Amino acid sequence: YGCAGCNRINGEIEVKENGKISFGQIGATRMLCPNMGTERAILLALEEVKGYEGTEQEITLTNEDGKALITLVKRPELSINSLTGKWKISKVNGEAIETLGTVETAPFLEFDAEKKTVHGNAGCNIVNGEVVLDEEVKGSIKFQQMISTMMSGPGMDVEVKVMEAIHHVSSFTMPDEKTVIMTDPNGNETLTLVKE
């Protein structure tokens, strides 16, 4: 299972000896996204995969002639420890914070792995809550019992969008050590966090 750039994909795989591999029919969700070209290229390449080579950290999927089709790089294990520290909220639902309006305080989230809590600012008010991860599901995350102060001022338009996005978060990925992308149950980006 995985994501082809927009849609979630899943299917069966048969790994054989001597670096041979074959995929069964691959199913995909049917969402429409801005850049479908990348997804089409990935799905077409997967149909041609007949072999693989590489290490535990990086694998190249090849066609019948040994030509490289797709290179996969292993992501770091995701856990609450991956989130420890302070993260600036750089995007909400794919839009840069700067385009959403004026804020009194730059929105951020700070995670405490030991206590499984989150503290931050949504644009105007201070927010606090709990973080729940399902250890059985890689990258699963939910925010619970989120409470905030009740001030009003600049940043409320942004804050409404940030809090709504927080309530829809169901999973996260880390394309690198300084970036977290949180998504809703349909795989849509809700929050992008950048390490401070």
Side-chain angles (χ1 to χ4, degrees):
Y1 69 91
C3 177
C6 172
N7 287 285
R8 292 177 186 241
I9 59 173
N10 62 56
E12 294 181 359
I13 185 172
E14 185 179 348
V15 181
K16 303 170 187 172
E17 293 181 21
N18 302 323
K20 301 293 180 192
I21 190 172
S22 62
F23 290 93
Q25 187 171 351
I26 295 177
T29 55
R30 298 183 151 263
M31 295 186 297
L32 187 61
C33 296
N35 183 5
M36 295 301 289
T38 300
E39 180 160 308
R40 281 194 278 295
I42 290 170
L43 293 173
L44 288 171
L46 285 174
E47 289 178 11
E48 292 185 44
V49 171
K50 298 294 181 206
Y52 68 95
E53 56 189 35
T55 66
E56 287 186 25
Q57 298 303 312
E58 183 174 296
I59 293 177
T60 299
L61 301 177
T62 61
N63 68 8
E64 200 166 1
D65 299 327
K67 177 185 171 193
L69 298 171
I70 297 174
T71 300
L72 306 171
V73 179
K74 191 170 189 176
R75 287 187 176 172
E77 290 295 319
L78 299 176
S79 71
I80 185 83
N81 294 328
S82 307
L83 297 173
T84 297
K86 188 173 181 179
W87 300 80
K88 178 178 103 174
I89 300 173
S90 66
K91 292 182 184 177
V92 178
N93 298 320
E95 291 186 61
I97 284 288
E98 299 80 31
T99 66
L100 298 176
T102 305
V103 292
E104 191 168 302
T105 303
F108 73 91
L109 295 174
E110 188 168 358
F111 297 88
D112 184 323
E114 190 176 311
K115 295 178 183 174
K116 295 187 178 170
T117 59
V118 63
H119 162 79
N121 189 295
C124 179
N125 286 285
I126 294 170
V127 297
N128 289 290
E130 296 176 2
V131 180
V132 179
L133 283 83
D134 182 345
E135 299 300 331
E136 302 284 318
V137 180
K138 189 183 266 187
S140 160
I141 186 170
K142 289 192 182 194
F143 294 93
Q144 290 186 338
Q145 298 186 21
M146 294 297 289
I147 57 171
S148 71
T149 54
M150 304 289 282
M151 296 184 298
S152 181
M156 288 306 295
D157 290 341
V158 173
E159 182 165 307
V160 167
K161 292 175 182 172
V162 167
M163 293 306 292
E164 184 176 318
I166 284 173
H167 290 299
H168 287 96
V169 168
S170 67
S171 62
F172 74 101
T173 58
M174 294 182 73
D176 57 63
E177 293 179 359
K178 296 190 179 273
T179 310
V180 172
I181 297 173
M182 298 190 162
T183 54
D184 68 15
N186 295 320
N188 299 313
E189 182 181 324
T190 56
L191 293 172
T192 300
L193 311 177
V194 178
K195 192 78 166 180
E196 289 209 330

